[in-house]
Each structure stands twice: as structure tokens, then as C-alpha cells.
Amino acid sequence: MTSHYAVLGNPVAHSLSPDIHAFFAKNTHEDLEYGRVLVPEGEFAKTADAFFEHCDGCNITVPCKGDAFKYADELTPWAQAAGAVNTLKKLDGGKILGDNTDGRGLAADLKRLGIKVAGARLLIIGAGGAARGILKPLAEEKPAVITIANRTFEKAQDLAAAFPGIAAAARLGEARGPFDLIINASSSSLKGVLPAVDESVYQGCGCAYDLMYRPDGHTLFSDHAKEAGAARAYDGFGMLIMQAALSFALWRGIMPDAELACRHFR
Ligand code: ATR
């Protein structure tokens, strides 16, 4: 019997998730369909209730990750740490499980790219939902230190306090390297501007990674980081594929070939 999945959010028209999951389904020979569901403003619970009458699971995209967190009956430790849910699954008996695969998707993509987090000095730019979503999986890889630099310093402090001994807070312009890995988790790229960190942070940096992605693989941040001294720079496309693969594995119990998908879609 065909199982049904979808991405829920607003907007969803341009989401790549249906293409990615169709690719995974074909490659694993899983019998499923994956669509798009537009969530009208303020109607997440109503939309999700109707969805789960006939469907088995979904991805959640902006602006509904907080609503999905509240909606879930049970939460994985990653969803709890992130305070947001990007994957819902209907369990046997009808309860809804909420997970967050974004941070583990990033950790998996860094592995794919050969970027070591263990023992590394990390700089995370931004302290909003995107930063919160990646902190637990990164901290579990045992970096030497995670400096969280944010425009609003208090938000960096609050986030760092949840990871004592690993994370430290800095004002955006005051973070100083050396850093092995710099991750842009701010929404600056979305706004077409660069985060105002001191330019010296990029010098000697092994890798810069933007959580945003663009079709050509270049974001304002990734290009600038490379020009300013980072040895390598990536956009977040691999993370998109990896988080999707982890959602698929949660639903279907089988891990698709995410590396193959990365090559296929790029
Ligand atoms: P999300 O939950 O999607 O991450 P958010 O909570 O609005 O979105 O957080 C966006 C992050 O990007 C915040 O850390 C924000 O900094 P502030 O906390 O000071 O608002 C950061 N941000 C947004 N625009 C930025 C810019 N132009 N330069 C640097 N940081 C920026």
C-alpha cells in the first residue's frame, strides 16, 4: 500500500523536498508519494490534523517549525534541544512524534565533506532558531570550543549557557580566531548582507559553511569567506539533502543513499 508524506509550510511551492524524497523512494524501492501542503496563517494544527487522517509523516518548513514542536505528542532529544520540529511521524496507535534532523543533517554533511568537528574551534554566527537547531549535534561531536557570536549579545549568552564547558558567547564584531570552522546560522544571507564579524576570523580558517543554499552553490557569505581567507567554503545544500535522508530513515526505517542524491541534484 502506498504511504503518503509531504512538506508542510508557507510557502511550499518552491520546496525541493518532493524531488529529493521521490529520488530516495526510487532508489530504496519504497512505495510512497510525497507532496506539498500549504499551511494557511495560524492554521497549522487544523492543517496537520486533516493531513494525518490519511498520511504517515511530513517535513515542516518555515514558518511552522515552532507550531510543529507544540503539535507533536512526543519529541526526540534533538527536537527538544532545537525547540523546533522539522519532521513529524505518525506512530502506531496514532500519536505524533516530532524530530529535528537539521543539526544531524549538518553534522553528516560536514563528515561527507571531510571536515572534522572533533577537537575543532568553531564559530557559529547567529543565535536564532537555526543556530539553536544545530548546537546539540555539533556539541556531541566534541569540538574544542563553540563560540556563538550574535548581533544581539544576550541571545548568544542564553544559547551558550545551555552548553556549559563547550560554548561561549561573543558580540558579533568581537569574536576573534583562530577558527577551524565558521558556520553562518544567521539570516543575513537571506537579506543579501554579510554578518558584521571582524574580517580576521576568516584568515587561516579551514572551512566556512553557510546554512543557506543557492542553486549555484554560492552564497554571499560563502564567496566572501573564501575571498577573505577561508580555505574552503560551502553553502547548505548538502545539509538539505542529509536532513531529508534522516527524515526518510525515521519514517521508513531505511537510510537512503544521500551521497548519491548530493551528486544527482548538484
Ligand atoms: P531563525 O530562527 O530562522 O534563525 P531568527 O530567530 O530571526 O531566525 O534569527 C536570525 C538570526 O540571524 C539572529 O541571530 C539574528 O541576529 P539578532 O538576534 O541580533 O536579531 C541574525 N541576523 C539577522 N540579520 C542579521 C544581519 N544582517 N547580520 C547579522 N546577524 C543577523
Side-chain angles (χ1 to χ4, degrees):
M1 201 175 71
T2 305
S3 303
H4 294 273
Y5 301 88
V7 55
L8 272 64
N10 191 344
V12 284
H14 297 101
S15 171
L16 285 178
S17 294
D19 300 327
I20 296 169
H21 285 284
F23 182 86
F24 289 158
K26 195 169 163 219
N27 276 274
T28 54
H29 309 289
E30 290 288 299
D31 184 10
L32 63 89
E33 280 177 4
Y34 190 109
R36 295 179 170 87
V37 175
L38 184 71
V39 179
E41 202 181 329
E43 293 192 8
F44 181 81
K46 190 175 155 198
T47 308
D49 280 349
F51 176 82
F52 276 114
E53 277 186 24
H54 306 288
C55 300
D56 307 280
C58 58
N59 287 123
I60 310 295
T61 189
V62 285
C64 301
K65 291 185 184 185
D67 294 328
F69 179 84
K70 290 186 206 129
Y71 182 81
D73 300 309
E74 294 171 21
L75 294 166
T76 66
W78 295 287
Q80 265 160 4
V85 155
N86 80 334
T87 308
L88 290 172
K89 176 186 179 173
K90 186 156 76 178
L91 301 171
D92 296 341
K95 284 205 167 168
I96 305 297
L97 174 70
D99 192 9
N100 193 313
T101 64
D102 286 331
R104 282 175 290 149
L106 171 64
D109 196 39
L110 292 172
K111 258 190 206 102
R112 178 182 74 92
L113 296 166
I115 297 155
K116 215 171 126 211
V117 175
R121 296 156 299 188
L122 267 57
L123 173 63
I124 294 181
I125 303 171
R132 186 173 172 193
I134 61 173
L135 266 164
K136 179 177 161 64
L138 288 178
E140 283 171 353
E141 301 276 323
K142 304 253 181 297
V145 63
I146 303 177
T147 302
I148 304 168
N150 196 45
R151 203 169 52 177
T152 310
F153 181 55
E154 293 70 26
K155 278 166 73 178
Q157 283 180 308
D158 288 349
L159 214 47
F163 297 89
I166 295 191
R171 292 177 203 283
L172 190 60
E174 291 177 6
R176 291 291 182 279
F179 295 110
D180 302 301
L181 172 61
I182 302 178
I183 297 169
N184 183 22
S186 79
S187 50
S188 59
S189 287
L190 274 182
K191 297 172 183 165
V193 294
L194 289 165
V197 289
D198 192 87
E199 289 294 295
S200 69
V201 299
Y202 299 113
Q203 285 155 26
C205 162
C207 178
Y209 192 107
D210 199 340
L211 299 191
M212 301 286 131
Y213 68 90
R214 282 177 53 90
D216 64 1
H218 293 265
T219 70
L220 186 64
F221 173 81
S222 68
D223 282 354
H224 178 75
K226 195 108 189 282
E227 278 162 26
R232 295 192 276 167
Y234 299 97
D235 77 340
F237 192 77
M239 173 178 169
L240 174 78
I241 300 280
M242 293 294 175
Q243 61 79 30
L246 290 160
S247 298
F248 190 95
L250 178 77
W251 298 324
R252 310 299 300 173
I254 174 171
M255 187 68 184
D257 189 340
E259 295 239 16
L260 187 69
C262 284
R263 290 198 295 276
H264 175 81
F265 286 101
R266 264 275 153 86

